[in-house]
């Protein structure tokens, strides 16, 4: 998921009650889905958003009409189908993409590639044509491949800015940076950097790391075919969007983890803590000091992460 710096007891109201005034137009692509609807609800509640543009292939007029009855400043518009996608994106400052099919029990994130790769490529192409300077936040799985896809599509249009493309949201659970990627062993919690500092016996540390890596799968199994981690993902998507808008508004010291173009490791894309600013990524804060256990986790993740990245790049390069 969107890897991140997580904080215990973090309240979304820190963004909802901000006194900063902004006229940001935010689009949610996939707004009628399991993540898109609660994400749109959270965004509608924020004073950082003045226009909320909702797009999907079905049901968005109803979602928009429902949200329009909430007495907050954001004006909501609903757009349906490919013919209205351009209008949904015109003038957007931030685009959040949760569109695509969710995981079901027994599926890996990579099983979603064939369907979601085309969806992300099509939507990113529309972003390049209609809002080329927008911040783009991709939630659609598999993020280890969909971020490279989005990046290559933007390159084809000559509008790619690595400081404005973000991937892999995750819910706030523990106060620890999560780096690497968005699936299985590529999800690397840096528990040695936890604040306040914690220490665990090796068997406990190994078990805890494994559970964090499989948190999304745990939810998929618990829902028994009824969906994936939609509510926590919607919260995480809203949280990251609010952090991004805060930074674009001039707030200093905004740090989040995200899967982005990177030179911190041998992988072209990697999640690390990022200092956000008015123009996207202000500074990549890197991995910091790792324990021997974490160094091995990073090393073990490289092959899978490189394969996922190449799969996304190849898909985008071979698109007709």
């Amino acid at each position: 998921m969107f890897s991140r710096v997580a904080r215990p007891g973090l309240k979304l109201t820190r963004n909802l009650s901000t006194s900063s005034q902004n006229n940001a137009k935010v689009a949610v692509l996939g707004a009628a889905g399991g993540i898109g609807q609660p994400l749109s609800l959270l965004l509608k509640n924020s004073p950082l958003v003045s226009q909320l543009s909702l797009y999907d292939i079905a049901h968005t007029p109803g979602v928009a009409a429902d949200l329009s009855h909430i007495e907050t400043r954001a004006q909501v518009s609903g757009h349906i189908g490919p013919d209205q996608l351009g209008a949904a994106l015109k003038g957007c400052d931030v685009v959040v993409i949760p569109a695509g099919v969710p995981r079901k029990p027994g599926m890996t994130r990579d099983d979603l590639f064939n369907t979601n790769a085309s969806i992300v490529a099509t939507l990113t192409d529309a972003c390049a044509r209609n809002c080329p300077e927008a911040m783009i936040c991709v939630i659609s799985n598999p993020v280890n491949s969909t971020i490279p896809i989005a990046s290559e599509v933007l390159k084809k249009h000559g509008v790619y800015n690595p400081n404005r493309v973000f991937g892999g949201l995750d819910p706030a659970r523990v106060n620890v940076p999560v780096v690497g990627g968005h699936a299985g062993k590529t999800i690397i919690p840096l528990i040695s950097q936890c604040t306040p500092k914690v220490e665990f016996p090796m068997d406990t540390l190994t078990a805890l790391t494994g559970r964090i890596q499989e948190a999304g799968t745990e939810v998929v199994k618990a829902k028994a075919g009824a969906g994936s981690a939609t509510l926590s993902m919607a919260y995480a998507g809203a949280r990251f969007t609010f952090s991004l808008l805060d930074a674009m508004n001039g707030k200093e010291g905004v740090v989040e983890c995200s899967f982005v173009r990177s030179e911190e490791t041998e992988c072209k894309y990697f999640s690390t803590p990022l200092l956000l600013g008015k123009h996207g990524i202000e500074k990549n804060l890197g991995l910091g000091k790792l324990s021997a256990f974490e160094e091995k986790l990073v090393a073990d993740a490289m092959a899978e992460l490189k394969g996922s990245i190449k799969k996304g790049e190849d898909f985008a390069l071979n698109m007709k």
Side-chain angles (χ1 to χ4, degrees), residues 43-300:
L43 293 174
K44 176 69 171 81
N45 275 308
S46 174
L48 295 169
V49 180
S50 62
Q51 297 180 66
L52 183 59
S53 178
L54 308 182
Y55 172 83
D56 215 320
I57 57 174
H59 308 307
T60 30
V63 176
D66 196 354
L67 292 178
S68 69
H69 291 284
I70 298 172
E71 71 282 16
T72 54
R73 71 186 293 252
Q75 298 296 308
V76 185
S77 58
H79 308 266
I80 188 169
D83 291 343
Q84 297 182 20
L85 179 55
L89 291 169
K90 282 290 184 186
C92 280
D93 301 293
V94 177
V95 179
V96 189
I97 307 178
V101 297
R103 278 201 296 163
K104 296 179 180 179
M107 295 177 68
T108 66
R109 291 176 179 86
D110 205 48
D111 291 333
L112 305 175
F113 181 88
N114 290 336
T115 300
N116 289 357
S118 296
I119 292 172
V120 170
T122 299
L123 295 177
T124 306
D125 181 84
C127 291
R129 297 175 187 275
N130 294 284
C131 53
E133 295 186 358
M135 306 287 185
I136 299 177
C137 309
V138 181
I139 300 175
S140 309
N141 273 314
V143 167
N144 288 356
S145 298
T146 54
I147 284 296
I149 288 171
S151 298
E152 294 301 323
V153 170
L154 294 170
K155 287 177 186 178
K156 287 183 177 181
H157 287 274
V159 296
Y160 176 59
N161 182 341
N163 294 331
R164 291 176 174 264
V165 182
F166 305 88
L169 290 170
D170 203 4
R173 295 191 190 90
V174 290
N175 186 16
V176 58
V178 178
V179 303
H182 178 67
K185 67 182 182 182
T186 71
I187 300 170
I188 304 168
L190 301 183
I191 295 173
S192 71
Q193 297 181 20
C194 181
T195 51
K197 187 173 178 60
V198 295
E199 293 185 8
F200 297 103
M202 183 53 68
D203 58 342
T204 303
L205 180 62
T206 301
L208 179 59
T209 298
R211 188 169 183 195
I212 292 171
Q213 291 174 328
E214 297 301 326
T217 301
E218 184 177 287
V219 175
V220 171
K221 289 179 179 177
K223 288 192 173 182
S228 57
T230 52
L231 297 176
S232 54
M233 285 293 295
Y235 173 94
R239 169 191 156 146
F240 188 87
T241 302
F242 295 147
S243 291
L244 197 53
L245 290 171
D246 274 340
M248 292 166 68
N249 251 6
K251 184 177 179 179
E252 297 182 353
V254 179
V255 177
E256 294 283 356
C257 284
S258 185
F259 186 67
V260 298
R261 179 75 181 187
S262 174
E263 297 180 356
E264 297 300 316
T265 70
E266 59 195 79
C267 284
K268 293 181 182 178
Y269 298 85
F270 204 81
S271 175
T272 46
L274 308 170
L275 178 63
L276 302 177
K278 290 185 176 182
H279 305 290
I281 301 171
E282 191 168 294
K283 184 179 181 181
N284 192 319
L285 301 179
L287 286 168
K289 185 178 180 180
L290 304 182
S291 68
F293 177 75
E294 292 160 353
E295 287 178 349
K296 186 176 187 304
L297 291 177
V298 171
D300 289 346

